[in-house]
Amino acid sequence: MFKLHSPYKPTGDQPQAIEYLSNGIKEGKKFQTLLGVTRFTEKPLQWQT
């Protein structure tokens, strides 16, 4: 598992998407698709494993 650290807070429907994808990982789903991505953000994210 990993933890995502970011100074930014999820907004709009992002909290629901995060929850949905997180549950899929916990259920062992190997493939998931995140729909509705409209732009790439250059906000820095730190991944810790």
Side-chain angles (χ1 to χ4, degrees):
M1 239 348 128
F2 60 88
K3 290 186 180 187
L4 175 65
H5 296 274
S6 173
Y8 305 100
K9 303 287 183 209
T11 59
D13 60 353
Q14 291 173 337
Q16 292 87 356
I18 292 167
E19 182 71 20
Y20 179 80
L21 293 172
S22 296
N23 288 337
I25 291 169
K26 292 174 187 173
E27 294 169 5
K29 292 182 180 178
K30 294 187 183 233
F31 303 98
Q32 299 186 83
T33 303
L34 179 60
L35 301 175
V37 176
T38 57
R39 67 182 174 94
F40 178 77
T41 180
E42 294 192 21
K43 295 177 183 175
L45 299 176
Q46 283 185 325
W47 296 87
Q48 290 185 341
T49 56

